[in-house]
Amino acid sequence: MSARRLASMLGTAGFLVALLATMPLRWITPLLPGSIECAAPAGTIWHGRCAALRIGSAAVGGTTWQWRAPELARLRLSVDLAVVQPGLELSSRLTVLPTGRVVARDLSAALELGYALVERLAPNLRGSVSVQAEEVVLADGWVRDLRGEIRVSGLEQTYPLALALGSYRIVFADPATADGRLVGRLTDVGGPLDVQGLLTLLPERAYELSGTVAVRPEASPLLANQIRFLGSPDATGRRAFAQSETF
């Protein structure tokens, strides 16, 4: 193939990509699969917005995106994404690597524990969760690397007893261990319980939560009585706890 013909083909391909990227989004949405719904589309495929986006049975919410052109030359898909809906706000720069891994940088998220997507994980808890992460790496539907902080504020148990549990933070500052474990340090940031522990994300799509807890003087008698079920305290008055779950 001559250099002139190759240049012509590349130029044509570039023109078609540019044409598609700048085409109004409202022209494209009627062609989407039935499993994807974009309400009130605005902008273009390259930089657009859906007032309400639904993918399959998942109501994603108001979604805004802008693709990052320089990453395409590196065979990567990268997009600045923002999602807003009742109970959830999220923004991040998402990049899909050739290996299939997804890297989320500058991740900021805020959600309520009553929000539908997380309620099944903690059906008897209410509170606000915020995430600020420099980087999160996902592969095979699980977290493989994480550098950032998770905060849970105003945590409340709703069943079997209504109890105020306080606020907490989990900091992931270290890289994954040689066997793929991610370890975050758990501490309370005020409330009726003095908590110190570790949240470990295991490579086999599971987590382990462990640590010790002591009851502060302001804890309600009901909460103090519930903590006694953890067993006898040590010499400092702290009781050990442990929990694990596989997804």
Side-chain angles (χ1 to χ4, degrees):
M1 180 182 297
S2 67
R4 179 177 297 180
R5 181 172 176 77
L6 177 60
S8 176
M9 292 177 63
L10 290 176
T12 301
F15 171 77
L16 292 175
V17 170
L19 179 64
L20 182 62
T22 57
M23 189 176 295
L25 185 62
R26 67 179 184 275
W27 294 3
I28 304 298
T29 50
L31 305 178
L32 293 175
S35 59
I36 301 177
E37 298 179 14
C38 173
T44 66
I45 292 178
W46 195 258
H47 186 186
R49 181 179 187 276
C50 295
L53 177 65
R54 178 179 292 275
I55 301 176
S57 60
V60 180
T63 306
T64 304
W65 65 88
Q66 181 169 4
W67 293 95
R68 302 182 62 81
E71 294 295 332
L72 293 176
R74 304 170 63 186
L75 300 180
R76 297 177 174 183
L77 293 175
S78 185
V79 61
D80 292 334
L81 182 70
V83 174
V84 177
Q85 68 164 285
L88 172 67
E89 294 185 10
L90 180 149
S91 64
S92 182
R93 177 175 301 170
L94 301 180
T95 302
V96 182
L97 304 180
T99 59
R101 289 197 165 200
V102 177
V103 180
R105 294 188 173 89
D106 300 325
L107 173 66
S108 177
L111 58 90
E112 299 296 324
L113 286 178
Y115 174 63
L117 290 180
V118 296
E119 186 174 18
R120 70 180 185 85
L121 301 178
N124 301 321
L125 295 176
R126 292 294 180 268
S128 300
V129 179
S130 65
V131 181
Q132 298 293 328
E134 177 184 345
E135 184 174 273
V136 181
V137 179
L138 305 174
D140 301 322
W142 190 244
V143 180
R144 304 300 174 178
D145 197 9
L146 170 58
R147 292 195 300 275
E149 177 179 299
I150 301 170
R151 282 184 174 260
V152 181
S153 303
L155 187 63
E156 297 180 354
Q157 175 183 288
T158 60
Y159 181 86
L161 299 172
L163 296 171
L165 302 178
S167 300
Y168 303 88
R169 68 194 292 252
I170 307 170
V171 178
F172 289 86
D174 300 322
T177 62
D179 60 355
R181 294 172 174 242
L182 291 168
V183 181
R185 300 191 177 280
L186 166 67
T187 56
D188 71 275
V189 287
L193 299 177
D194 178 353
V195 176
Q196 300 174 13
L198 299 175
L199 173 63
T200 303
L201 303 181
L202 307 177
E204 56 271 22
R205 297 171 59 90
Y207 76 83
E208 294 176 348
L209 179 64
S210 62
T212 61
V213 57
V215 178
R216 291 195 171 105
E218 63 267 30
S220 69
L222 286 175
L223 179 58
N225 187 60
Q226 193 171 58
I227 294 300
R228 292 190 183 98
F229 285 100
L230 294 174
S232 300
D234 61 18
T236 64
R238 305 187 68 83
R239 290 176 167 86
F241 64 86
Q243 178 183 346
S244 62
E245 184 72 47
T246 299
F247 297 98

